[in-house]
């Protein structure tokens, strides 16, 4: 650990992975998102996330789950409506079908995750998990300055969350084999971009589990 100006500056993943320093963020593991991807892909990602989640719980790490929320069309704004039309291949608002309305089955987290009462579920309407949510406040109030992220989708929401988190002064850790992509090529490009900018520490399930369990 490097020390300078009264600050502790972690140099590697082992120094980052401490429950007083890092939280775990599970991104958009919702029924409606998982149903859009091949079963073999979602099952592998789910199994890997469950391994990390189990290790994090045993290690006493704070755990946060985020969910993507669709606003009803009547209260969605210009960007929300335009994005929905683009993604759903229509040029008419009347033909939009909001995918993740609050009370829909598609909005819910997959049951395998089973968040504990001591863990947090929060909703967002943006791609970054930090924009317009209480995540930043909650982490900083606990003295957390790093987060390990996994979930779906790398190219749509996880990369923006890493960028936004880094701009807010966090050390992002991406568990690459516990993240899935809607488009494999786009997902690979996102990982290469994250690697190039070096904003995040990149790791895999087995490595981070050994460090979470150690704590």
């Amino acid at each position: 650990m490097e020390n300078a100006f009264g600050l502790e500056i972690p140099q590697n993943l082992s120094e980052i992975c401490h429950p007083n320093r890092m939280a775990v963020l599970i991104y958009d593991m919702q029924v409606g998102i998982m149903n859009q991807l091949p079963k073999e892909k979602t099952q592998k990602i789910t199994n890997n996330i469950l391994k990390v989640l189990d290790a994090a719980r045993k290690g006493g790490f704070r755990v946060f789950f985020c969910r993507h929320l669709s606003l009803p069309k009547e209260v969605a704004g210009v960007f929300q409506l335009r994005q929905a039309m683009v993604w759903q291949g229509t040029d008419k608002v009347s033909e939009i079908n909001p995918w993740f309305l609050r009370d829909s089955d598609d909005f819910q987290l997959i049951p395998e995750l089973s968040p504990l009462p001591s863990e947090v579920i929060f909703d967002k309407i943006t791609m970054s998990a930090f924009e317009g949510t209480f995540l930043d406040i909650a982490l900083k109030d606990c003295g957390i300055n790093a987060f390990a992220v996994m979930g779906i989708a790398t190219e749509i929401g996880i990369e923006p969350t890493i960028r936004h988190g880094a701009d807010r002064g966090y050390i992002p850790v991406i568990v690459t084999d516990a993240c899935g992509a809607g488009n494999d090529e786009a997902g690979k490009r996102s990982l290469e971009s994250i690697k190039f900018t070096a904003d995040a520490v990149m790791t895999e399930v087995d490595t981070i589990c050994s460090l979470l369990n150690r704590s």
Side-chain angles (χ1 to χ4, degrees), residues 9-31:
I9 307 168
Q11 301 273 44
N12 52 55
L13 184 60
S14 179
E15 293 175 348
I16 294 169
C17 283
H18 190 282
N20 291 342
R21 182 185 302 280
M22 189 183 80
V24 171
L25 172 62
I26 299 175
Y27 189 96
D28 285 9
M29 291 291 288
Q30 293 163 261
V31 172

Side-chain angles (χ1 to χ4, degrees), residues 6-151:
L7 301 172
E8 290 186 342
I9 307 168
Q11 301 273 44
N12 52 55
L13 184 60
S14 179
E15 293 175 348
I16 294 169
C17 283
H18 190 282
N20 291 342
R21 182 185 302 280
M22 189 183 80
V24 171
L25 172 62
I26 299 175
Y27 189 96
D28 285 9
M29 291 291 288
Q30 293 163 261
V31 172
I33 293 175
M34 304 293 273
N35 286 342
Q36 297 178 40
L37 302 177
K39 181 67 175 178
E40 60 272 15
K41 178 187 289 189
T42 59
Q43 192 60 59
K44 180 180 179 181
I45 297 301
T46 299
N47 290 343
N48 283 343
I49 287 175
L50 290 175
K51 290 178 184 177
V52 179
L53 184 57
D54 181 62
R57 287 167 171 168
K58 290 177 179 176
F61 287 78
R62 295 171 174 87
V63 178
F64 292 76
F65 300 84
C66 67
R67 301 182 296 192
H68 195 79
L69 173 69
S70 295
L71 296 179
K73 289 189 287 186
E74 293 81 0
V75 296
V78 172
F79 177 79
Q80 296 282 324
L81 294 172
R82 182 181 182 278
Q83 183 184 64
M85 286 191 290
V86 171
W87 282 13
Q88 296 183 26
T90 180
D91 58 2
K92 297 184 182 300
V93 170
S94 61
E95 295 177 357
I96 293 172
N97 177 32
W99 288 336
F100 306 112
L101 291 172
R102 181 189 60 204
D103 297 323
S104 68
D105 291 339
D106 285 344
F107 174 65
Q108 307 306 319
L109 294 173
I110 59 172
E112 294 93 325
L113 295 178
S114 299
L116 301 176
S118 58
E119 297 168 349
V120 178
I121 303 171
F122 67 96
D123 303 332
K124 59 183 179 56
I125 63 172
T126 55
M127 299 303 117
S128 168
F130 286 95
E131 180 60 42
T133 74
F134 59 73
L135 180 60
D136 183 50
I137 297 171
L139 294 181
K140 286 182 176 174
D141 205 27
C142 291
I144 297 295
N145 63 6
F147 63 93
V149 62
M150 52 201 147

Side-chain angles (χ1 to χ4, degrees), residues 183-197:
N183 180 283
D184 288 339
E185 287 302 315
K188 289 176 183 177
R189 288 196 297 270
S190 285
L191 290 177
E192 287 301 317
S193 179
I194 292 166
K195 182 179 180 180
F196 176 77
T197 58

